[in-house]
């Protein structure tokens, strides 16, 4: 079975990172993550991330620009891998269409966030990006 790629966006504006609070599933509800989602057949990873950011946050090109990869792959399970990308927010305000809440955090606040386990490994890379 082919591996499902899941993409996450490190949306950065003015040295702050956008984090999104999960609403579901119950075991992850209330914890924070980088927004994103699954790559659909025929999509590139940056295209998928741009689509997910539009769906989840109401942010679409040219308001967001998907950049280079951030950090290493995160193995989710036997058939899924998570990848992060830097995202520059050019203009607009994100809205929590698919999350309980959104917030902007600084590098100093990263360790205070109750991260989902999969995103925690990117903290050193996120600190450098901020």
């Amino acid at each position: 079975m082919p591996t499902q790629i899941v993409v996450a966006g490190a949306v950065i504006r003015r040295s702050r990172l956008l984090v999104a609070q999960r609403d579901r599933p119950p075991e992850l509800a209330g914890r924070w993550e980088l927004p994103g989602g699954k790559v659909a057949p025929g999509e590139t990873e940056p295209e998928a991330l741009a689509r997910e950011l539009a769906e989840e946050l109401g942010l679409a090109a040219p308001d967001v620009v998907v950049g280079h990869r951030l950090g290493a792959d995160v193995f989710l399970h036997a058939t899924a891998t998570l990848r992060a990308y830097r995202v520059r927010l050019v203009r607009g305000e994100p809205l929590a269409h698919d999350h309980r809440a959104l917030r902007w955090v600084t590098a100093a606040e990263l360790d205070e966030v109750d991260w989902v386990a999969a995103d925690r490994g990117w903290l050193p890379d996120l600190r450098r990006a901020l």
Side-chain angles (χ1 to χ4, degrees):
M1 174 177 250
T3 298
Q4 171 70 61
I5 301 297
V6 180
V7 289
V11 180
I12 298 171
R13 181 175 66 187
R14 293 191 291 271
S15 299
R16 293 183 182 268
L17 173 72
L18 182 70
V19 293
Q21 189 177 37
R22 300 275 315 218
D23 198 35
R24 60 188 187 285
E27 62 272 15
L28 297 178
R31 301 191 76 190
W32 296 83
E33 67 178 358
L34 300 180
K38 295 177 181 176
V39 177
E43 278 183 316
T44 66
E45 292 173 16
E47 288 169 346
L49 184 54
R51 175 185 50 76
E52 288 287 347
L53 294 175
E55 292 172 3
E56 292 184 4
L57 306 173
L59 299 172
D63 296 340
V64 291
V65 178
V66 177
H68 297 289
R69 290 273 313 272
L70 177 103
D73 286 358
V74 175
F75 176 79
L76 295 176
H77 49 76
T79 59
T81 299
L82 181 60
R83 292 188 177 142
Y85 285 82
R86 294 173 185 253
V87 177
R88 186 168 52 93
L89 179 56
V90 178
R91 65 181 164 268
E93 279 301 317
L95 302 170
H97 294 300
D98 199 40
H99 290 88
R100 188 176 291 178
L102 301 174
R103 72 186 247 217
W104 293 97
V105 296
T106 64
E109 295 170 314
L110 289 174
D111 288 328
E112 300 167 16
V113 173
D114 183 17
W115 292 97
V116 296
D119 290 15
R120 186 167 277 288
W122 289 321
L123 291 184
D125 302 294
L126 291 168
R127 262 188 214 87
R128 283 190 292 278
L130 293 172

